[in-house]
Amino acid sequence: MCGIVAAVAARNIVPVLIEGLMKLEYRGYDSAGLALLNPTLTRLRSVGRVAELAEQAEGQVAHHGIAHTRWATHGVPSERNAHPHVSAGVAVVHNGIIENYAELKQELTADGYVFTSDTDTEVIAHLIRQTLKSTPDLFEAVRLATARLVGAYAIAVLQEWDDRIVLARHGAPLLLGLGEDGNYAASDASALLQVTRRMIYLEDGDVAELRRDGVRIVGADGTAANVPADRPVHESTLSADDVELGDYTHYMQKEIFEQPQALAATLEMIGGAQTLSPNLFGVAAPEMLAGASSVLILACGTSYHSGLVARYWIEQLAGIPCSVEIASEYRYRVSVPDPEQLVVAISQSGETADTLASVKHARALGMGRTLAICNVAESAIVRECALRFLTRAGPEIGVASTKAFTTQLAALFLLAVTLAKQAGRLTPEQEAGYLTALRHLPVAVQKVLALEPAIKVWAKRFADKQHALFLGRGHHYPIALEGALKLKEISYIHAEGYPAGELKHGPLALVDEDMPVISIAPNDALLEKLKSNLKEVAARGGELYVFADADSAVDEEPGVHVLRLPEHYGLLSPVLHVVPLQLLSYHVALVKGTDVDKPRNLAKSVTVE
Ligand code: G6P
């Protein structure tokens, strides 16, 4: 979603802003813009790629500037709706949604302010200008103006003839970068690695000021926050390579092939251990996990699917009831709170607005046992939860999540085994066996990746299809959902994931020769039942594409194509079976020529509800 970059520095900051926006492209956007101070305002905006904005900005030199990639919410993608929005000499870029913008707009219009866009953001620009009339200091004016906003925002503001940039954060990510020759801000660290590794994460309610020679932060309570006492400076450990494409064509491809390393890094903390310590999840974990009566998992998108797999593991291994809920549903429904329940929020980014709000909602209902499973340290969701487990997938840039998903699964399996151990349901041999299986995962995934050439051949047959059906049973049912999500996200083929046992209750009506049916057929207790389901498809003329295990005994025949994964992997099999589905959607998208890493209408980091 929207990305922000801001810079005040001795160097020419125009290339920094452009490079920063390019690093934020992965978040998803449809237009881009920037405002430079020289000391009067120059605004450049364009619909489409940052590269077009870069062309417009060629030859510009400035030492103060703010820049933005916009993902449309209020108003169509167009130049007039692109940020920055300007009110006289005040320019604003914004990530988030202002919920009371309509009433503010009415008030400002009555006061004579003229709106030139359909955005909610423009009210912020006018509101700051109006406030400046009575409070001529930009920092104070931003504090007063933002106090009137309802909703989520991260903003960067500059004003003609003022040598500062003022920032404010409430419910959308924003961090400061402390440089040698100036100071910077951005929506995430990847945009600022070009100039500094020293970052300060702003908190909700913070208003901050960037000057060439320093920064100032005032917290929600109005008192100055000291750097680094109240807002510690973090040294980013991201390397430039982590966010570069290297020899790959697409980030999604790179991230699929990085899964062995991502899993190994995530599992590094268990080393060669034969037993698991609950402390993996935080210092308070032994007590919090031991007393948990049940588990409630909250997440969105692909992270939700990892939660669905975890439900099978947690109930089977730990014998504790587990429910999984889409965060945007949970936060608005009337539910029955259980203070002893463990609430697990799963999120790659740690910034997904609905997931964050759902944890806050659970806490407001009295549920204090909260655990974040997240790929981004210092993200809002991690900070909101009492316990944390950080997956170490490295930055995930492709909108369609891959390595974040498999590392989430590894983390959730560790959680299930830990809960089982605390419930006294594991023998030491079983515990050691699960740890060995986890440690072997990177090698096992590497072998599955070797199926790519055969999957490429299959992909060609999907490119002219309008629909596809994914089937799985048991803990592979969520993998069918995830396979369908991957395909629809990046190839725009309508795809549904179904538990194979439900075929007869509806989807069988859709099956014909134009509807490929992809089935996950591991050699587990449900294999025979699944084979009967597949016969039902074959009998209706459906073309079957089956991902089996080496010993699954599903044979090729006319209309039935089979690819075998090298080994059956027991409870951890979902981690392996999702990999060929990721490859399949990637190659179908390549054949179709869609924008793999930035599929239309989608955003990587969904910071608005
Ligand atoms: C967006 C992304 C998905 C992701 C979902 C949840 O829809 O495109 O890839 O699964 O958000 O994001 P999170 O960061 O919370 O895992």
Side-chain angles (χ1 to χ4, degrees), residues 346-582:
I346 310 172
S347 174
Q348 185 282 128
S349 62
E351 301 290 348
T352 302
D354 281 320
T355 308
L356 178 60
S358 71
V359 179
K360 290 186 174 168
H361 179 65
R363 286 188 53 189
L365 292 176
M367 301 199 279
R369 298 168 195 265
T370 50
L371 163 65
I373 292 186
C374 189
N375 198 37
V376 181
E378 298 306 327
S379 57
I381 290 172
V382 168
R383 284 188 278 160
E384 188 66 32
C385 290
L387 304 177
R388 64 180 62 180
F389 184 99
L390 293 177
T391 51
R392 292 168 66 189
E396 192 178 68
I397 308 290
V399 164
S401 184
T402 52
K403 62 177 180 172
F405 179 70
T406 41
T407 54
Q408 285 167 353
L409 289 179
L412 288 161
F413 192 77
L414 278 173
L415 177 66
V417 175
T418 304
L419 291 171
K421 185 176 174 183
Q422 290 194 309
R425 287 170 59 106
L426 279 190
T427 64
E429 294 72 33
Q430 284 170 323
E431 186 181 357
Y434 289 137
L435 289 173
T436 305
L438 275 168
R439 275 191 287 268
H440 184 56
L441 264 181
V443 174
V445 168
Q446 193 71 53
K447 288 188 197 158
V448 177
L449 288 167
L451 291 176
E452 189 187 27
I455 293 170
K456 255 186 194 171
V457 175
W458 278 15
K460 292 192 184 111
R461 304 189 203 145
F462 281 71
D464 64 339
K465 301 292 185 231
Q466 305 294 320
H467 309 276
L469 186 61
F470 286 72
L471 301 177
R473 292 193 75 130
H475 56 194
H476 293 92
Y477 158 51
I479 299 302
L481 292 175
E482 176 58 11
L485 178 63
K486 290 283 88 78
L487 191 69
K488 75 180 102 167
E489 277 179 316
I490 61 166
S491 73
Y492 316 146
I493 293 175
H494 167 231
E496 298 276 356
Y498 250 89
E502 272 290 291
L503 251 186
K504 287 197 272 299
H505 301 291
L508 205 51
L510 300 172
V511 170
D512 63 16
E513 60 281 4
D514 289 327
M515 167 100 127
V517 178
I518 300 98
S519 178
I520 306 151
N523 188 14
D524 62 15
L526 292 168
L527 181 62
E528 289 311 316
K529 296 205 177 298
L530 181 80
K531 282 188 193 166
S532 314
N533 302 141
L534 300 187
K535 292 268 180 248
E536 293 160 8
V537 172
R540 270 92 191 158
E543 193 88 353
L544 274 163
Y545 295 86
V546 183
F547 290 99
D549 287 341
D551 51 359
S552 283
V554 182
D555 297 321
E556 287 257 0
E557 53 186 276
V560 182
H561 315 279
V562 183
L563 273 181
R564 294 181 196 286
L565 273 63
E567 57 191 316
H568 176 58
Y569 218 73
L571 275 182
L572 282 163
S573 168
V575 186
L576 301 196
H577 267 277
V578 74
V579 175
L581 303 185
Q582 297 167 342

Side-chain angles (χ1 to χ4, degrees), residues 23-340:
K23 288 288 183 281
L24 296 181
E25 280 188 302
Y26 79 93
R27 295 167 66 87
Y29 73 104
D30 37 56
S31 55
L34 53 79
L36 307 172
L37 273 194
N38 255 333
T40 53
L41 208 61
T42 303
R43 174 171 64 167
L44 304 173
R45 297 184 290 177
S46 82
V47 178
R49 293 289 167 223
V50 173
E52 288 160 34
L53 184 70
E55 273 174 31
Q56 279 191 49
E58 209 139 72
Q60 295 279 352
V61 176
H63 302 280
H64 284 70
I66 56 178
H68 189 263
T69 46
R70 173 175 187 254
W71 191 84
T73 56
H74 294 66
V76 296
S78 65
E79 195 175 318
R80 64 189 281 275
N81 286 333
H83 299 209
H85 288 287
V86 170
S87 184
V90 173
V92 176
V93 292
H94 165 224
N95 172 16
I97 288 182
I98 304 305
E99 289 168 11
N100 61 338
Y101 90 100
E103 67 192 68
L104 289 172
K105 187 170 180 174
Q106 210 173 21
E107 177 191 315
L108 288 159
T109 308
D111 247 9
Y113 289 89
V114 178
F115 283 78
T116 58
S117 78
D118 310 314
T119 66
D120 51 341
T121 303
E122 200 178 352
V123 297
I124 308 177
H126 290 316
L127 200 58
I128 293 171
R129 181 172 147 212
Q130 186 195 49
T131 314
L132 277 165
K133 285 184 185 158
S134 51
T135 311
D137 175 64
L138 183 64
F139 189 89
E140 284 309 312
V142 169
R143 280 193 58 213
L144 292 174
T146 50
R148 297 200 56 202
L149 303 177
V150 177
Y153 54 82
I155 59 170
V157 188
L158 48 73
Q159 184 189 16
E160 283 184 338
W161 302 101
D162 196 316
D163 60 1
R164 301 166 294 173
I165 290 175
V166 179
L167 309 138
R169 176 206 154 124
H170 181 82
L174 197 58
L175 54 85
L176 310 185
L178 309 181
E180 290 294 321
D181 67 336
N183 292 297
Y184 305 86
S187 300
D188 77 41
S190 62
L192 298 185
L193 285 177
Q194 50 167 331
V195 282
T196 184
R197 298 190 161 275
R198 301 178 63 228
M199 317 275 177
I200 297 175
Y201 294 86
L202 293 184
E203 293 182 4
D204 276 352
D206 279 354
V207 176
E209 174 182 288
L210 294 184
R211 297 178 320 274
R212 224 184 257 198
D213 61 351
V215 301
R216 174 161 74 108
I217 303 170
V218 169
D221 61 0
T223 52
N226 293 318
V227 175
D230 306 318
R231 296 291 186 278
V233 180
H234 296 265
E235 193 76 26
S236 173
T237 53
L238 277 181
S239 85
D241 281 356
D242 289 337
V243 286
E244 295 299 340
L245 204 44
D247 293 337
Y248 291 95
T249 316
H250 295 101
Y251 281 104
M252 184 183 180
Q253 178 195 28
K254 176 178 184 241
E255 288 154 10
I256 290 173
F257 281 89
E258 277 175 351
Q259 288 179 107
Q261 299 95 287
L263 283 163
T266 299
L267 294 167
E268 204 179 85
M269 57 269 279
I270 62 169
Q274 298 296 299
T275 70
L276 266 183
S277 158
N279 287 77
L280 276 178
F281 299 92
V283 278
E287 189 196 330
M288 280 200 179
L289 298 186
S293 58
S294 59
V295 179
L296 168 64
I297 297 179
L298 301 169
C300 305
T302 288
S303 298
Y304 170 70
H305 293 157
S306 73
L308 290 178
V309 176
R311 180 161 74 107
Y312 288 86
W313 289 338
I314 289 170
E315 296 212 347
Q316 179 173 340
L317 294 178
I320 299 176
C322 176
S323 50
V324 191
E325 220 168 307
I326 290 182
S328 55
E329 286 298 310
Y330 175 73
R331 65 182 285 199
Y332 289 118
R333 82 180 174 88
V334 179
S335 55
V336 182
D338 171 3
E340 305 311 322

